[in-house]
Amino acid sequence: MSCSPTLRTFGSLLIRYSNGVFLKPSDSGSLRRTVLMSRRLSSVSCYSSGKWVSFPGYDYAVTPRKISSCTILCMGRRSCKIAGRKTAQDAKKAKLYARFGKEVVSAVKKGGSSPVSNTALAALFEKAKELDIPKDIIDRNIKRASEKGQEAYIEKFYEVYGFGGAGMVIQVLTDKVNRSVAAVREVAKEYGGKMADSGSIMFKFKRARVVSIKANDVDKDKLIAIALDSGSEDVIEPSADEDDSEEDSESYFKIVSSMEDYPALLTKLRDEGITFETDGGFELIPLVPVEVDDEAMALNKELMSKFLELDDVDAIYTDQK
């Protein structure tokens, strides 16, 4: 039985309206069927024996298109640089908190958990205020010090030769010395550094207290005047970075001070309403900075970043200019 012209016309219009696919199967006995599959219809209809027969429940609709998306990490050069700085600042803060926690554990191990009788712990409470460290970090590490198997932390310095004649001093506070030295050696070997004998690089640095101030937050002349009034030793200007613009730069001035004059410097900065960042107790300042080429600078940067990924490593100092 064949379809009448009227039905064929109706079927053509229905196909065009529904944007579907018109299928005309081959003969099967005396039965010819017209099947319509539509993007919008969820049933199959056949014309057979002079009437349309529908079979509901069969969904031949095309699956809706799915668009995959991912979080935009950076949009443009400036945003990428800002995101990179934010990550570096967060990592620096995490290292500071971790080191301070270790110092708390060591102080409690040596003198007990009461700041009244433990002068070292009392000093750490004052230091926490200076460094703006949350009190819960102190409480958590006091509790941690009493846990079974927790050993006191020991401070170690490992010295490494970098690229281009630059040297590095790696500051470690660890409860497992063998673990820490093995980890440092492994990174140095894998990324092209060379372990140095004790004292081979350390003599190129001096220990001092340091305050960091964002370059965009202060006038240079005013900062120098404050440094002179407080008895500070030096003002280190931010290194020029040709990739930074004034708009997004977050370079820092560093005021170098002795241990004795450091409190006077902080008081002076607070009185002037200048926002600053303190050090973690001290920093190692190179006596004579070493100038290296761009390739060596990039390799040293990678090497230092790998050292900082180690849990026992708290800070890295280099004489690279």
Side-chain angles (χ1 to χ4, degrees):
M1 182 180 296
S2 60
C3 298
S4 67
T6 302
L7 288 175
R8 282 199 299 271
T9 301
F10 174 74
S12 176
L13 291 173
L14 185 59
I15 292 168
R16 185 175 301 174
Y17 173 77
S18 63
N19 195 26
V21 180
F22 185 80
L23 301 178
K24 187 177 180 181
S26 59
D27 289 345
S28 176
S30 61
L31 179 65
R32 294 179 67 85
R33 296 188 297 270
T34 301
V35 182
L36 179 66
M37 292 191 295
S38 170
R39 285 191 180 97
R40 298 181 178 87
L41 303 177
S42 59
S43 63
V44 179
S45 300
C46 300
Y47 185 78
S48 179
S49 303
K51 63 180 181 179
W52 285 92
V53 180
S54 297
F55 297 89
Y58 292 86
D59 189 358
Y60 285 83
V62 176
T63 303
R65 186 177 62 176
K66 296 181 178 179
I67 300 176
S68 298
S69 62
C70 61
T71 303
I72 298 175
L73 297 179
C74 303
M75 294 186 66
R77 181 178 176 183
R78 178 172 179 269
S79 297
C80 286
K81 287 164 66 178
I82 292 173
R85 289 192 187 99
K86 180 66 166 59
T87 302
Q89 289 169 359
D90 290 344
K92 183 179 179 181
K93 184 177 290 187
K95 283 290 184 182
L96 173 62
Y97 289 175
R99 176 175 176 80
F100 189 83
K102 295 174 186 177
E103 291 177 355
V104 170
V105 170
S106 296
V108 173
K109 283 286 185 181
K110 294 175 182 178
S113 59
S114 173
V116 177
S117 57
N118 188 341
T119 56
L121 185 60
L124 286 174
F125 272 91
E126 292 302 316
K127 184 179 177 180
K129 295 177 184 178
E130 176 187 300
L131 300 178
D132 196 24
I133 294 177
K135 186 176 180 297
D136 69 289
I137 290 181
I138 299 178
D139 297 337
R140 186 166 64 245
N141 283 282
I142 289 176
K143 182 179 179 181
R144 178 182 164 198
S146 61
E147 293 178 356
K148 185 177 180 181
Q150 178 61 59
E151 299 179 12
Y153 285 88
I154 302 171
E155 185 176 65
K156 289 287 184 179
F157 291 93
Y158 301 118
E159 299 167 48
V160 176
Y161 291 112
F163 297 88
M168 302 176 190
V169 177
I170 303 168
Q171 182 183 4
V172 169
L173 195 61
T174 180
D175 56 348
K176 302 289 183 183
V177 175
N178 291 339
R179 178 191 64 204
S180 67
V181 69
V184 169
R185 280 176 178 164
E186 183 178 353
V187 170
K189 181 179 179 181
E190 184 174 353
Y191 292 92
K194 182 181 178 182
M195 298 295 292
D197 295 334
S198 179
S200 301
I201 296 173
M202 183 68 83
F203 78 93
K204 300 178 181 181
F205 295 81
K206 66 176 180 179
R207 184 178 294 215
R209 298 301 305 267
V210 176
V211 175
S212 300
I213 300 102
K214 285 185 180 180
N216 290 343
D217 292 347
V218 69
D219 177 72
K220 175 184 173 181
D221 293 336
K222 183 178 181 179
L223 198 62
I224 292 175
I226 292 173
L228 290 172
D229 290 343
S230 60
S232 299
E233 298 175 0
D234 194 9
V235 176
I236 301 175
E237 297 186 24
S239 58
D241 187 349
E242 60 183 8
D243 291 334
D244 283 345
S245 65
E246 291 183 1
E247 181 181 5
D248 64 3
S249 176
E250 286 195 10
S251 51
Y252 289 81
F253 283 104
K254 287 180 176 288
I255 303 180
V256 181
S257 173
S258 65
M259 300 288 183
E260 296 77 16
D261 294 329
Y262 196 68
L265 172 60
L266 299 185
T267 301
K268 200 74 174 174
L269 290 170
R270 291 191 185 101
D271 291 343
E272 294 292 337
I274 296 175
T275 302
F276 58 86
E277 296 179 12
T278 58
D279 55 26
F282 71 91
E283 286 191 16
L284 295 179
I285 308 297
L287 298 174
V288 182
V290 176
E291 192 165 349
V292 301
D293 58 32
D294 292 342
E295 183 181 1
M297 185 177 294
L299 291 170
N300 286 331
K301 184 177 180 180
E302 181 185 26
L303 179 59
M304 288 187 290
S305 69
K306 294 301 178 182
F307 280 132
L308 283 172
E309 290 178 4
L310 301 176
D311 291 338
D312 287 334
V313 173
D314 294 316
I316 298 176
Y317 305 99
T318 179
D319 58 359
Q320 174 179 285
K321 190 172 183 179

